[in-house]
Amino acid sequence: MAIDNFPAQLQPIIQQGYLAREFTAGLQSRIAFRAIADREIFPNRIGESITKTRKGLKAPVTTPMNPSQNTNFDNGLTPSSWSVEQYTLSINQYGDTIDLNVVSEGVGIADQFLANANTNGIQALQSLDRIARNTLFGGGIGGVGGYIGGNTRVTTALSAAGADVAVDDIRGFLSLLNSSGQVVSVGQSSGMTVTVGSNAYTLITATADAVNVSTAPLGKSGTLTFSTSVAVSDAVAGSPVVASTAPLVLRPNNRLTTAQLVAPTGNYGSSTYVPGDTLGIQTVLAAVAALRMNNVPTIDGAYHCYLDDQQMLGLFRDGDFKYLYRGAYGSDTYRAGSVVELLGVRFIPTTEAPLQASLGAGVIHRAIVCGQGALIEGDYNGVVEIPDSDRALIENLDGIMMITREPLDRLKQIIAQSWYWIGGFALPTDATVNPSIIPTSTNSYLKRGVVIESL
C-alpha cells in the first residue's frame, strides 16, 4: 500500500502495522453476541435480501413392512420427502468516520492517529454486537420474531367478550411458517394458535399501534384480532398471551409474565431477606434442559449464557450456587467475580444485555442461553474485492473495513479515518424439528435459545 501521501511522522506507524493493531485491539475489547453467529457469505448487493432454505428430517419408521405387500417395483413402499423451512437474510452497510487535523494536533499527531483507530475499532465492535443482539431479541426482517417474540401480556382488560385484545408487544404474532416452510403473514394463513389467559384462540391478524407504547426492548404495542371472542376472564389486564410457536421464556418462580416479577425484600444477609425473582442457577439449568431436549448443539462443549453484571450478582447470591461452591471461595470464580464455565454453561457478562424499565418491582434484566446456530451472520462477499487506491489505506479486519484517507482538502491538513461493514444477521428456524422427529422437542420455531427474565 502506498503511504507516501501521508505525513512523515505517520509513515512508520503505518509501515509497521501499528494502525491495524490498534483498530484490532478495539475490535477484540469485548466480543459477545456476534461471537455465536455462524458466518455465511452473502452474494447479493447492499439493500437486497436472500431467502435461504433449510431442510428438515424424516420421522423414524417403527412399523414393520407387510410381507404381502412387498411386491412390484416399489416393494410396497410409498415415497416420502423431508420438509423444508426458510429464513430471510438481508444486508446493509454500516460505518462511521473521524477526522484528524495534522496541524491542530501538532506533536501529538501520532498518538491521536492511533487513538482514533482504537476508538473506531471499539465503535465498530459495539455496533456489530448491538445489531446481533437486536436480531436475537427483536427478530430480523421477514422473520418470525426474536427470542422474546410471541410472549406478551394483555394491557387493556376487556369489559365484555370480544375478538380484539390490546397487548404490550405483537412481535412473534405477525408471521408464521406455512406448510411449504415459507414465512408468511398471519393474515395470509389459516391462523395462529395463541393462548390468552387460560384458553387457546385462533389469531387471524395483528395490528401495530399508531403510537408505540410497548415497554419491552424493541417492542411494538398493538392489537391481536382472533376468529372468536376472547372471554373476559382470559383478557384480564396482565394476563399472559403466548403463541403456540413462541420461543421459551423463563422467569424465576414460574412467573407467567414480565409484570409478575417480584422484587427482593429485606437486607441481603439478614434473616428476613427474601431474594425475590433474581437469577438463580436452577432457572439456568431449566434453560439448559430445554436446549438439550431440542438437541441443540453446544458451542465448544458448552452453552453460552449472555447476561449483565446485576444478573451475575443475583447468581452469586443464589443459595444453590453457593452450596455448589461451598469450600471453594478461593477459586478463580469468586476471586474474579465471574463464572467462566459451570454445569455445561459458559457465562459471558456483557454490558449490551437489554434492560427494561421497571414495571413496579425494579429494572428487568434479560439473559439468553443459546447454542450453536442460534444466529446467522451474512458477510458481503465483495467487500474484499474493493480495489485499493493510491490515496487511501484499506485494511480488512474480520470483515470490517478500515479506511485511512490521505489529506484531500485544499490545505492538505485533514486525514479521514473511517470504518464500514456490509452484512446482516438472521434467526434461522427449526420448525421441522417436531415431536415426531425428536420426541422431547417443542413446537417453537426458534429452539436454539432460551431467554431468562429476572430482577
Side-chain angles (χ1 to χ4, degrees):
M1 294 182 295
I3 61 174
D4 294 339
N5 296 324
F6 290 88
Q9 60 266 52
L10 299 182
Q11 292 182 19
I13 293 175
I14 299 171
Q15 185 69 43
Q16 298 179 39
Y18 289 152
L19 186 63
R21 285 200 291 271
E22 282 297 312
F23 188 84
T24 305
L27 287 178
Q28 296 175 348
S29 62
R30 195 154 187 177
I31 295 175
F33 296 108
R34 189 193 180 201
I36 65 168
D38 292 340
R39 307 281 283 272
E40 292 187 4
I41 298 299
F42 192 95
N44 294 39
R45 296 180 181 274
I46 297 174
E48 295 184 358
S49 299
I50 185 171
T51 300
K52 312 205 77 172
T53 301
R54 172 184 284 187
K55 79 175 187 67
L57 301 174
K58 296 171 65 176
V61 176
T62 58
T63 303
M65 295 176 58
N66 189 337
S68 63
Q69 296 180 354
N70 189 1
T71 59
N72 301 323
F73 290 106
D74 58 9
N75 300 106
L77 297 174
T78 301
S80 63
S81 61
W82 35 265
S83 55
V84 298
E85 53 190 309
Q86 298 178 340
Y87 63 93
T88 302
L89 180 62
S90 303
I91 65 167
N92 292 285
Q93 182 170 244
Y94 305 86
D96 201 5
T97 187
I98 188 172
D99 289 336
L100 174 66
N101 192 306
V102 298
V103 175
S104 63
E105 296 302 332
V107 295
I109 180 177
D111 292 337
Q112 188 66 32
F113 194 53
L114 295 177
N116 287 350
N118 182 264
T119 301
N120 275 348
I122 294 174
Q123 183 193 32
L125 168 71
Q126 190 176 19
S127 300
L128 267 64
D129 208 48
R130 191 164 297 183
I131 297 168
R133 180 205 68 181
N134 291 348
T135 303
L136 269 175
F137 287 92
I141 299 175
V144 292
Y147 275 96
I148 58 176
N151 287 274
T152 187
R153 66 186 186 279
V154 176
T155 54
T156 304
L158 291 181
S159 58
D164 297 332
V165 177
V167 297
D168 183 64
D169 192 0
I170 62 173
R171 287 174 304 168
F173 301 97
L174 297 170
S175 305
L176 45 70
L177 297 176
N178 62 16
S179 58
S180 300
Q182 297 174 320
V183 178
V184 297
S185 67
V186 172
Q188 295 175 321
S189 69
S190 58
M192 174 191 294
T193 301
V194 175
T195 299
V196 182
S198 303
N199 295 293
Y201 300 89
T202 300
L203 175 70
I204 57 176
T205 186
T207 306
D209 290 339
V211 178
N212 185 18
V213 293
S214 176
T215 60
L218 306 174
K220 299 178 181 178
S221 62
T223 300
L224 303 181
T225 302
F226 298 91
S227 60
T228 58
S229 294
V230 178
V232 173
S233 58
D234 287 329
V236 177
S239 293
V241 181
V242 182
S244 61
T245 57
L248 179 62
V249 175
L250 296 177
R251 304 174 187 90
N253 301 311
N254 297 318
R255 307 298 182 190
L256 298 179
T257 69
T258 309
Q260 292 182 5
L261 295 173
V262 176
T265 59
N267 296 322
Y268 177 70
S270 68
S271 58
T272 60
Y273 176 74
V274 179
D277 295 331
T278 55
L279 182 64
I281 194 65
Q282 292 300 327
T283 309
V284 177
L285 292 180
V288 171
L291 294 177
R292 287 176 174 166
M293 290 179 70
N294 284 309
N295 199 28
V296 176
T298 59
I299 304 171
D300 296 329
Y303 294 114
H304 282 191
C305 177
Y306 297 100
L307 72 172
D308 62 51
D309 291 295
Q310 285 291 330
Q311 283 189 307
M312 283 287 290
L313 179 61
L315 185 66
F316 277 101
R317 289 178 172 177
D318 179 58
D320 289 338
F321 178 84
K322 291 192 290 186
Y323 180 81
L324 178 67
Y325 272 86
R326 181 171 294 174
Y329 295 106
S331 67
D332 290 339
T333 298
Y334 272 85
R335 288 202 308 261
S338 63
V339 178
V340 176
E341 192 167 326
L342 174 67
L343 301 176
V345 182
R346 188 171 295 117
F347 293 84
I348 304 174
T350 174
T351 56
E352 291 296 320
L355 300 178
Q356 180 177 337
S358 173
L359 297 176
V363 176
I364 297 161
H365 304 257
R366 284 182 173 84
I368 184 168
V369 184
C370 49
Q372 184 178 354
L375 188 65
I376 299 293
E377 176 183 336
D379 291 307
Y380 177 53
N381 69 338
V383 71
V384 296
E385 300 171 2
I386 297 176
D388 198 352
S389 169
D390 291 336
R391 297 186 177 279
L393 302 173
I394 301 177
E395 296 275 1
N396 182 359
L397 302 170
D398 196 23
I400 302 174
M401 305 301 291
M402 182 185 71
I403 311 296
T404 307
R405 191 196 68 192
E406 67 149 311
L408 296 178
D409 57 297
R410 290 181 175 85
L411 301 180
K412 299 286 286 185
Q413 294 178 356
I414 300 175
I415 294 174
Q417 295 175 256
S418 312
W419 68 269
Y420 73 87
W421 174 71
I422 303 175
F425 294 91
L427 296 177
T429 58
D430 288 287
T432 55
V433 179
N434 53 52
S436 67
I437 304 295
I438 301 177
T440 57
S441 66
T442 64
N443 289 320
S444 300
Y445 287 157
L446 301 174
K447 295 181 171 69
R448 298 180 184 242
V450 175
V451 171
I452 301 176
E453 297 179 351
S454 69
L455 298 178

